[in-house]
Amino acid sequence: MTRQRTTPAALLAAALLSTLLTGCGGDASAGDATHVTVTVGYQSKTINTVTAGTLLRSLGYFERELAAQGKRDGVSYKVDWQDYATGAPITAQMTAGKIDIGSMGDFPLLLNAARGKQLGRPTHLVSVTGYNLRGALNTVVTPPQSKLGSLKDLKGKKVSTSVGSAADGTLVRALQRVGLDAEKDIRKLNQQPAVGASALQAGSADALSQFVAWPGLLVFQDKAKALYDGAELGLPTFHGVTVREDFAEQRPKVLDAFLAAQIEATRYLNEHPVRAAEKVADATGLPPEVVYLYNGSGGIATFDPAVKPQLVSALKKDVSVLRSAKLVGDVDVDSFVDDGPVKRVYGKEYAERLASTPGTSRSEVWLKGEDSTRSFGSPAELLEFVAEHKGEARAAYVPDAAHGTRWYADKAVWIQDGKELKPFVTASAARAYTQAHPGARTVSYATALEQAS
């Protein structure tokens, strides 16, 4: 039998045919020209990303948008949702061409930008999920019985965090403000959030610096107490959506469909906060009370897909922190940020979204058996209500008196100053208040309830 020789022209023709058959959506958009799989990387337990991940998936909005798009362009779309604990593996998969769209925190976004450019797989930040303008999404916690009273007490101690994460950035900056070096003055343990939580409980870590929802979860479970509220930094922190540049260019309608679905999921969360919290809780196994602490009405996180200038400015300031840790070189934030797609999808409403500001956190009670919460004008009013409804409160939330961070009423540090009752997230913030206000004193939650009633 005579073997036929394959010519260069034949090889080129075969390559062109292969390209036509697989479509033009990049490696992750698997399938032929009429059957395309869009791969989305998300972090189910990082509940600040739910409008681009857990909640969005639960609601099915992206699939619905793609079905409508498929009828217009004759393509059958499928979504492959891939769940990760942090942003780092999402970036690894994106730069390998295996994930099209991903969501992650501000520091991981910079790593995403740097790795993408370095490996010839450029990516772009195209929308925001949740944010906090003061930085309260990150918290440092210690075991409940720890004698550590402030960040200065961390000198020489073992602190667990995820290196390169937003929580790590908060730790580095917070230590700098009290004269400590995160690389020299503490023993930093680079651990995944779940591993760090276990280390804290086992006593192999003295403190844990993490992002949502880990600090709130551990405190809710009485496995930790807050040592440092990230809001003390007064620097914005956020999570956002990143997309591979080649995917965005080759399948702009798919990206538009994703952003339209994210916008609708955001509206759902803002209009039905309790229901949204319960959906996220069902999907993740997190307690609904913890989800609502962050994602509820007036929660720690504000959800808005618009790429606000103050968030971009904060991202630029984050570069120096990662550069000093030798995790990135220079990052061109301006070329990485591209709000063109979300602006296109929003239309005229985008200018309004850019100008919007987050509402202030309120005192709220979630009663057992109710599908909505009750708001109060002050923490004292909330305490009075809780005292009158003993055993009926599923959860009670109050804004920190120093920085406005929403926290659990029964986990807060309460100060009585004359007739006023003031809650604080951390003992150090409460101590600073009493030092500045002679006569003010710390009281237990039980005493605060008694005083209010």
Side-chain angles (χ1 to χ4, degrees):
M1 183 176 178
T2 304
R3 181 170 294 177
Q4 195 171 25
R5 182 170 177 266
T6 303
T7 65
L11 289 171
L12 178 59
L16 289 172
L17 178 60
S18 176
T19 300
L20 289 172
L21 288 175
T22 57
C24 56
D27 301 346
S29 299
D32 57 33
T34 57
H35 299 278
V36 173
T37 296
V38 182
T39 306
V40 179
Y42 74 112
Q43 303 169 64
S44 64
K45 284 187 167 60
T46 306
I47 56 174
N48 198 32
T49 66
V50 295
T51 52
T54 307
L55 181 63
L56 179 59
R57 181 179 184 179
S58 174
L59 293 168
Y61 290 166
F62 186 32
E63 287 83 353
R64 188 191 65 192
E65 291 288 336
L66 286 178
Q69 181 59 38
K71 289 182 180 179
R72 293 190 289 269
D73 58 22
V75 176
S76 173
Y77 292 103
K78 175 186 175 183
V79 183
D80 178 15
W81 296 93
Q82 296 187 4
D83 188 7
Y84 296 89
T86 62
I90 297 177
T91 288
Q93 293 293 86
M94 290 186 76
T95 54
K98 296 180 179 180
I99 285 180
D100 301 309
I101 301 169
S103 56
M104 58 192 71
D106 40 17
F107 279 78
L109 281 167
L110 290 172
L111 293 170
N112 184 273
R115 299 290 186 267
K117 185 174 181 179
Q118 177 187 9
L119 299 174
R121 289 272 191 179
T123 58
H124 293 285
L125 170 66
V126 292
S127 69
V128 170
T129 55
Y131 69 91
N132 183 282
L133 292 181
R134 294 193 61 87
L137 294 168
N138 306 307
T139 312
V140 181
V141 297
T142 62
Q145 305 306 318
S146 173
K147 297 188 181 301
L148 300 176
S150 69
L151 282 177
K152 287 185 177 180
D153 296 335
L154 291 180
K155 187 171 184 178
K157 303 298 183 180
K158 291 176 287 187
V159 183
S160 175
T161 191
S162 301
V163 171
S165 71
D168 182 30
T170 292
L171 178 65
V172 170
R173 282 173 161 153
L175 289 174
Q176 286 176 344
R177 290 197 178 183
V178 296
L180 297 180
D181 188 312
E183 302 305 319
K184 298 176 182 178
D185 294 323
I186 65 170
R187 296 172 61 188
K188 187 189 289 188
L189 308 177
N190 182 17
Q191 298 173 324
Q192 294 278 356
V195 176
S198 296
L200 190 74
Q201 292 174 247
S204 55
D206 299 297
L208 171 75
S209 180
Q210 274 301 348
F211 46 79
V212 296
W214 290 96
L217 173 63
L218 293 172
V219 170
F220 178 77
Q221 295 174 330
D222 291 322
K223 296 176 180 177
K225 63 180 179 181
L227 178 72
Y228 182 81
D229 174 9
E232 293 184 40
L233 285 174
L235 297 172
T237 185
F238 71 99
H239 286 66
V241 175
T242 177
V243 63
R244 289 202 337 266
E245 181 178 272
D246 59 343
F247 178 84
E249 291 176 348
Q250 294 159 358
R251 295 198 185 277
K253 295 298 182 183
V254 173
L255 178 58
D256 284 1
F258 183 89
L259 294 172
Q262 185 198 344
I263 289 170
E264 190 168 356
T266 303
R267 289 196 181 110
Y268 181 93
L269 182 147
N270 289 329
E271 292 172 5
H272 310 284
V274 171
R275 203 179 307 164
E278 290 174 333
K279 281 183 174 292
V280 172
D282 288 342
T284 62
L286 290 167
E289 299 89 344
V290 175
V291 179
Y292 195 83
L293 171 74
Y294 293 101
N295 294 8
S297 176
I300 298 176
T302 297
F303 286 85
D304 188 340
V307 186
K308 297 179 182 294
Q310 54 266 56
L311 300 182
V312 177
S313 177
L315 202 60
K316 291 178 179 179
K317 293 176 182 177
D318 293 342
V319 175
S320 61
V321 178
L322 289 174
R323 191 169 51 223
S324 64
K326 298 181 172 58
L327 294 174
V328 300
D330 286 326
V331 180
D332 187 347
V333 173
D334 288 325
S335 66
F336 174 57
V337 175
D338 180 10
D339 69 345
V342 71
K343 183 178 182 180
R344 178 174 66 238
V345 174
Y346 255 125
K348 294 180 180 179
E349 188 185 343
Y350 191 64
E352 178 185 330
R353 298 313 322 151
L354 281 180
S356 66
T357 56
T360 56
S361 184
R362 302 184 303 277
S363 297
E364 285 184 86
V365 172
W366 187 357
L367 291 182
K368 295 175 182 177
E370 295 194 354
D371 57 5
S372 62
T373 61
R374 305 187 185 205
S375 297
F376 299 88
S378 69
E381 290 178 18
L382 175 141
L383 290 172
E384 183 178 358
F385 180 85
V386 171
E388 292 172 352
H389 295 77
K390 290 181 179 179
E392 296 180 41
R394 181 174 181 174
Y397 309 96
V398 288
D400 172 85
H403 307 288
T405 303
R406 197 229 293 261
W407 206 239
Y408 309 108
D410 61 333
K411 312 299 183 187
V413 180
W414 287 90
I415 295 295
Q416 183 172 9
D417 186 4
K419 293 183 179 181
E420 289 188 278
L421 289 163
K422 296 180 176 292
F424 294 85
V425 172
T426 66
S428 59
R431 189 164 53 249
Y433 182 89
T434 57
Q435 290 173 350
H437 297 79
R441 63 189 181 95
T442 303
V443 296
S444 67
Y445 180 57
T447 299
L449 287 173
E450 291 176 6
Q451 293 294 328
S453 61

